[in-house]
Amino acid sequence: MSWLNWQLSLPHVMLTLGVLLVAALFAGVVGQILRLPKVTSYLLMGVLLGSTGWIPHEHIVQIEPLTKLAIALVLFHLGCHFPLALARRIMRRMLRLSAGELTATFLLVAVGLTMLGASWDVALLLGALAMATAPATTILVLREAESEGPITEYTNAQVAVNNIASIVLFELLFLAVVFLHGWLDGSPLVQFGLLGLDLVGSVALGVVAGLVVSYGFALVAESRRLVFLIGIITLVLGICLKADVPYLLTFLAMGVTVANSSYQAKQMLAELDRMTGLLTVVFFVTHGAELQIDKFALAGSIGVGYIVLRAGGKYFGTYLACRSGGENPVVCRWQGTALMAHAGVAIALSAVAVQRTAGMSGAMSDLFQYVQTIVLGTVVVFEIAGPLLIRNAVLQSGEMPLAHAIYHPGISPVEQLRTVFNGLLMAFGFNPWRNRSAAEITVNEIMRKNVKTVPHGATLDEVVTYIEHSRDNTFPVVDSSGELVGVIRYRKLSHALFDRKLGPLFRAADVTTPASRVLYPDEPISRANEIFAASKDDCIPVISGQTPHRLLGMVRRRDVLRLLIRGRADS
């Protein structure tokens, strides 16, 4: 595209980017309500926009540099989580799991597709591609879930190993297939040597870039550190694309180097987090728009076989390796399902193979185009189902915090609308409240009296149901007579890992803390404000003055603030 044409199309591209971001925001809200991973929500919205023609393909091509930068940031983030101490601790077990999973996946796909009627070369190439696990999808679902535990650790490591193995094996098989069909230019040894140089060169570039980042980060002023990091990462990405080397290895190596040569890896990731979040939203909704649903029908029985055989290889290969290695039964059951996502690396490798064979004979070019069709047709299934399976794996294994395992709504849209409307009235000099001084109002007048309570003997499921139907973050716990026992604070409970297996042993009383700050009905709202200023609670229980101290209602922080703001405006 010429510079003039690019300038003319720029407003349309910016409009497309705006549509993608707004649509992704809406999809994220809906996905949260439906308890879907945000990745799945973004992908589905992208599929909807792409299939209905809202997003032109040429605009996606122009946004592609942003999506590549998003993948680079995700891979760098992944590498930063592997200091050598962690690698040594899990490497032996992780390599055993990877070896079992990769071997089973390759053999099942290659042999199974041959039996279904695919040619030997197509079966081998698809077997190598099936080994890959989508890095961006997998890592971002785990990050969103804030999971921690063996499945999370193994999955992070296996994503890197799976993709490296897939790249190397596919490149070797590509050269072998082209050579056996008589279309390889030059000596096979020379071509293998060039492949080795590409792989070594990409890793070496990542190591050098990681050392530069580790050295320079502390020397740069804090206000310019984000620019420094984005500048180095973008420069390295440009070098990789210009030299046509696999940037997956480069940014993994860069992240691992930083993790082992700098004490500031966490600060670097904190600087990049906001940029990474924005770019990954763009990546997934754009990626969804690129998914070609019509290719699924073209993949036919070979495509269906590829889906079933790859899923079987990932699950049963991991399961058998876990059992033989004496892993925890929970890991054996769920580890394989966390590796199902399949897109980026497989799509990229198949596309590169098609480009390389574009000038060869019709039969050779058709072979790799057919491989690409199978990949494009089946990743639709893996990319939509994969995030759901990953989330379910860490949820069922008890590695996900309660905050991400359930849906806990915040302020309601109606309350927020009222807040904005009242703010506008105040700005124009109108008083939306009654003409009374805030000092004259008592707790009894502003407390919410129709309050649901948590019985102190409630089970885990009952507490979770209460939280999901409440917009507050402080929940009153009462005994059988209605006397206040204490409160459950969501901000403390939300970080605890959510494990339903503990449900029969759990009672609300186990996580209840004493209500050290309470209000009485006849106290002024200034007393409520004092308590709110000294705590982070969003609600304060109101109890009766005489024993037993029955719960009468709750005072919300935002209700008190509204009245105090009004009082200042009146004065």
Side-chain angles (χ1 to χ4, degrees):
M1 177 181 289
S2 68
W3 173 255
L4 179 60
N5 289 337
W6 187 84
Q7 285 287 86
L8 292 174
S9 67
L10 182 59
H12 303 289
V13 174
M14 294 306 296
L15 180 61
T16 295
L17 186 58
V19 169
L20 288 173
L21 289 173
V22 173
L25 177 64
F26 174 75
V29 173
V30 174
Q32 186 179 18
I33 295 173
L34 299 177
R35 302 184 193 177
L36 295 176
K38 290 180 181 177
V39 169
T40 301
S41 304
Y42 299 151
L43 285 168
L44 289 174
M45 179 56 74
V47 170
L48 177 63
L49 294 175
S51 59
T52 54
W54 275 66
I55 308 298
H57 177 70
E58 56 270 20
H59 291 184
I60 294 177
V61 173
Q62 289 179 279
I63 296 172
E64 188 176 5
L66 293 178
T67 64
K68 289 188 181 298
L69 181 58
I71 298 176
L73 290 172
V74 170
L75 294 171
F76 175 73
H77 193 286
L78 173 61
C80 283
H81 283 83
F82 281 97
L84 291 179
L86 173 62
R88 284 193 296 268
R89 179 168 63 82
I90 70 170
M91 189 59 67
R92 181 179 298 177
R93 288 182 294 174
M94 185 273 298
L95 289 178
R96 181 175 60 247
L97 296 183
S98 288
E101 173 236 322
L102 292 174
T103 302
T105 301
F106 178 76
L107 291 178
L108 268 179
V109 172
V111 175
L113 292 184
T114 303
M115 296 175 64
L116 288 173
S119 60
W120 64 271
D121 40 14
V122 168
L124 289 176
L125 291 168
L126 288 173
L129 293 175
M131 295 160 60
T133 298
T137 304
T138 306
I139 300 308
L140 286 168
V141 172
L142 294 176
R143 281 186 61 193
E144 178 194 337
E146 295 186 3
S147 58
E148 55 182 69
I151 289 180
T152 302
E153 283 188 349
Y154 289 154
T155 302
N156 280 324
Q158 283 185 266
V159 166
V161 173
N162 288 2
N163 289 306
I164 292 171
S166 179
I167 292 171
V168 173
L169 183 58
F170 183 82
E171 292 284 4
L172 292 174
L173 289 175
F174 173 83
L175 293 176
V177 168
V178 174
F179 172 72
L180 292 173
H181 283 277
W183 281 91
L184 185 65
D185 293 331
S187 166
L189 292 178
V190 172
Q191 297 296 327
F192 286 133
L194 292 174
L195 171 61
L197 284 176
D198 282 347
L199 297 175
V200 173
S202 64
V203 172
L205 176 61
V207 171
V208 171
L211 292 174
V212 170
V213 167
S214 295
Y215 175 76
F217 184 78
L219 300 178
V220 176
E222 287 189 18
S223 60
R224 295 194 291 273
R225 284 178 174 177
L226 178 60
V227 177
F228 170 74
L229 291 171
I230 294 295
I232 297 295
I233 290 172
T234 305
L235 177 63
V236 172
L237 178 61
I239 294 172
C240 290
L241 296 177
K242 188 70 175 177
D244 195 25
V245 297
Y247 66 91
L248 167 74
L249 301 181
T250 301
F251 287 100
L252 279 173
M254 183 178 175
V256 171
T257 302
V258 167
N260 291 281
S261 61
S262 173
Y263 294 108
Q264 295 180 297
K266 288 185 178 179
Q267 291 93 314
M268 294 182 199
L269 296 181
E271 289 283 349
L272 290 171
D273 266 349
R274 290 187 180 276
M275 180 67 72
T276 304
L278 173 63
L279 291 177
T280 49
V281 170
V282 176
F283 169 78
F284 281 108
V285 73
T286 305
H287 180 46
E290 285 184 302
L291 293 178
Q292 302 176 33
I293 298 179
D294 58 318
K295 296 286 186 182
F296 181 74
L298 296 176
S301 60
I302 299 299
V304 174
Y306 180 77
I307 293 171
V308 174
L309 293 168
R310 179 182 180 273
K314 291 288 182 185
Y315 184 81
F316 290 109
T318 304
Y319 181 82
L320 293 175
C322 282
R323 290 295 298 271
S324 64
E327 291 287 347
N328 187 305
V330 174
V331 176
C332 296
R333 183 177 181 184
W334 297 111
Q335 181 64 41
T337 60
L339 302 169
M340 295 296 179
H342 188 47
V345 173
I347 292 175
L349 289 174
S350 62
V352 168
V354 169
Q355 292 172 3
R356 290 175 181 171
T357 56
M360 298 183 182
S361 70
M364 189 85 272
S365 179
D366 290 345
L367 184 150
F368 285 98
Q369 285 180 351
Y370 180 63
V371 169
Q372 186 183 45
T373 299
I374 299 296
V375 171
L376 292 176
T378 55
V379 295
V380 176
V381 175
F382 286 117
E383 278 297 85
I384 293 175
L388 297 173
L389 293 171
I390 297 167
R391 185 184 188 279
N392 188 60
V394 292
L395 173 63
Q396 297 296 336
S397 58
E399 297 187 9
M400 185 187 295
L402 180 72
H404 299 287
I406 66 173
Y407 172 62
H408 176 57
I411 185 171
S412 72
V414 174
E415 288 181 334
Q416 181 60 18
L417 180 62
R418 185 187 300 119
T419 300
V420 172
F421 181 69
N422 288 339
L424 289 172
L425 289 177
M426 294 289 292
F428 286 99
F430 296 100
N431 189 344
W433 292 279
R434 294 172 300 167
N435 293 321
R436 289 182 60 199
S437 167
E440 300 172 2
I441 300 175
T442 63
V443 166
N444 184 59
E445 294 179 82
I446 67 167
M447 73 176 181
R448 296 173 183 260
K449 300 177 182 178
N450 186 20
V451 176
K452 285 195 65 176
T453 58
V454 181
H456 75 297
T459 64
L460 176 62
D461 286 340
E462 290 171 337
V463 172
V464 166
T465 300
Y466 180 92
I467 293 174
E468 289 184 317
H469 289 83
S470 172
R471 295 187 182 276
D472 297 324
N473 290 323
T474 308
F475 317 116
V477 180
V478 297
D479 61 16
S480 56
S481 66
E483 184 173 6
L484 181 70
V485 175
V487 294
I488 294 176
R489 292 179 171 86
Y490 179 70
R491 69 176 186 275
K492 295 183 177 180
L493 187 63
S494 63
H495 298 295
L497 296 183
F498 180 66
D499 191 348
R500 286 195 183 277
K501 295 190 296 295
L502 300 178
L505 306 176
F506 177 94
R507 290 295 179 269
D510 299 330
V511 290
T512 298
T513 56
S516 55
R517 300 178 178 93
V518 295
L519 290 168
Y520 298 98
D522 55 350
E523 290 186 295
I525 63 169
S526 58
R527 172 57 182 157
N529 187 49
E530 291 174 6
I531 294 177
F532 282 128
S535 72
K536 295 182 180 180
D537 293 345
D538 65 333
C539 295
I540 305 172
V542 181
I543 60 174
S544 59
Q546 67 278 9
T547 56
H549 297 293
R550 299 181 183 276
L551 180 72
L552 302 178
M554 299 286 284
V555 171
R556 289 184 177 179
R557 181 188 292 268
R558 53 181 172 265
D559 292 339
V560 172
L561 289 178
R562 285 196 194 105
L563 289 172
L564 292 177
I565 291 171
R566 191 207 79 182
R568 284 195 291 271
D570 290 342
S571 63

